Amino acid sequence: MKNILLFGAGKSATCLIDYLLVNAPRQKWHVTVADHDLMLIRSKTGKSYYVTPAAINIQDEAARQQLILETDLVISLLPPPLHIIVAKDCLKFGKNLLTASYIDPEIKALEKEIEDAGLLFMYEMGLDPGIDHMSAMKLIHSIEKKGGQISSFKSYCGGLISPESNDNPWQYKISWNARNIVMAGSSGAIYKEKGKVKETDYPHLFDQSKTIQIPTLGKLAWYPNRDSLAYMKAYKLEDIQTFMRATLRYPDFCEGWSTLVKLGLTDDNTKIQTDDMTYYQWASQNLKPAKDLSNEENIAHFLGISAKSKIIRQLKFLGLLNGETIHQGTLTNAGVLQNIVESKLAMEPTDKDMIVMIHEIEFERRGITTRLHSYMIVQGEDHLRTAMAKTVGLPLGIMAKMILQGKVNLTGLQIPVTPDIYNPVLKELEEYNIRFEESFE
């Protein structure tokens, strides 16, 4: 019997837990799911004979280390800043680790120790990052094998609400970690376009009205995602002219979010006392309202827009223009905003989400320039078994199975960019309707 330990039972864990428990009898696994919320664990695991729920505080070192000591493989779906605690324990007790999160400087600093210990820490094994790396590398290797010279690589991905559930002025509902949504883009973005390195700072990241046409869906807006340049080496495309990774949203979302950034409502540095503050006072804290104007008119005047504009409708939808008291103690603006979006942009039980990913690669072969489009659209089943939960969780589950079956020879701190990882994972994902369509021009 092999033991798997999963930290985190939140939004992204649902389909991973389903996968592990369906495979447990045949693979002879026992799964421990650890989270601070016992009711949440039980809602995801049911009464399966193959699972043990463990309600623990992740900061409780003794409880955490005891679980890690007793397992064969650790999967972490904790909030990103907490992975390092688990990673250090895995290093201490000689356990392999899987997570869907980005490699950050803290884990990078342990790279040599992980390699020396002969362990595999597979990071970025989810959707974005994860499926994006695997599908892109499969295309890149295929083009290069046939003698193609790549000049441009662009990759876009977005977690969106499905068209039939797209019924609010934000054109958005939350299918994953709300904190990540609020902080998205806060470090700005850097990418390469036509030989020039381009940087976009956070205040202007959502300004741009750049769009891309998606088959069967129409136009989606995009904004560049974090540090694209860091992946040029991983993809072995250091010399190409254009390299960009970007996030997809419906256009209205980008316009609205740009407004929240301008109002200072995504700031996560300064703490404010909210107990006697109304939502309008909070939303207008960085402007000087005129007494003879209504709340809508004041905000509209500051933003240079009409009081009847779509953006004002969006702010109203979030409840930012009313006189209700926030009453949530001391929080940062980002903390207040997170609570608001979790409430106002929540998915209803019948709502479905949607994942859209598209790669655009330009290459030359035998004197002919070709542009390859490869796209994937995945629909969720409901508000629990979302497309997001499927595409984040299933790659982790498949990778866990490969490791426990002894099919993975890699060690060290890795991301999934090699054929021995991406070929079997992408092949099995197709069984769950997670597949790409390709076209050439």
Side-chain angles (χ1 to χ4, degrees), residues 249-275:
R249 291 286 182 261
Y250 288 113
D252 286 1
F253 176 88
C254 287
E255 285 184 57
W257 204 262
S258 180
T259 302
L260 298 181
V261 174
K262 283 191 182 100
L263 292 170
L265 305 184
T266 59
D267 174 64
D268 198 39
N269 297 315
T270 312
K271 292 198 168 181
I272 52 172
Q273 172 52 250
T274 67
D275 285 349

Side-chain angles (χ1 to χ4, degrees), residues 157-321:
C157 182
L160 306 161
I161 198 69
S162 198
E164 67 267 35
S165 303
N166 186 5
D167 56 10
N168 71 49
W170 282 89
Q171 298 196 309
Y172 194 79
K173 291 182 185 179
I174 290 176
S175 60
W176 58 304
N177 186 308
R179 164 83 181 169
N180 291 358
I181 292 162
V182 170
M183 299 313 297
S186 55
S187 54
I190 182 167
Y191 59 101
K192 190 176 179 185
E193 188 173 44
K194 295 179 180 171
K196 291 183 179 174
V197 172
K198 304 232 171 150
E199 290 189 61
T200 309
D201 61 4
Y202 182 46
H204 299 101
L205 193 65
F206 300 93
D207 283 357
Q208 47 192 348
S209 54
K210 294 182 178 175
T211 58
I212 182 171
Q213 192 76 22
I214 307 291
T216 75
L217 279 179
K219 280 183 182 174
L220 291 178
W222 62 266
Y223 61 88
N225 184 9
R226 298 183 180 228
D227 180 3
S228 292
L229 305 185
Y231 288 97
M232 294 179 77
K233 187 177 179 185
Y235 288 16
K236 295 187 168 56
L237 294 175
E238 294 101 317
D239 300 324
I240 69 171
Q241 291 295 296
T242 296
F243 190 99
M244 184 189 68
R245 291 159 48 83
T247 298
L248 294 171
R249 291 286 182 261
Y250 288 113
D252 286 1
F253 176 88
C254 287
E255 285 184 57
W257 204 262
S258 180
T259 302
L260 298 181
V261 174
K262 283 191 182 100
L263 292 170
L265 305 184
T266 59
D267 174 64
D268 198 39
N269 297 315
T270 312
K271 292 198 168 181
I272 52 172
Q273 172 52 250
T274 67
D275 285 349
D276 297 316
M277 182 182 268
T278 67
Y279 282 101
Y280 174 65
Q281 286 170 333
W282 174 71
S284 61
Q285 63 189 284
N286 291 318
L287 55 129
K288 292 177 181 171
K291 288 179 182 174
D292 56 338
L293 296 179
S294 68
N295 292 355
E296 288 96 325
E297 289 167 337
N298 269 310
I299 294 268
H301 178 70
F302 174 76
L303 295 170
I305 58 175
S306 160
K308 294 184 178 175
S309 73
K310 175 175 55 189
I311 286 169
I312 295 299
R313 285 203 310 278
Q314 289 177 318
L315 298 180
K316 270 185 167 175
F317 184 83
L318 295 182
L320 301 191
L321 303 183

Side-chain angles (χ1 to χ4, degrees), residues 320-331:
L320 301 191
L321 303 183
N322 66 39
E324 286 178 35
T325 307
I326 300 173
H327 208 73
Q328 290 168 5
T330 303
L331 285 172

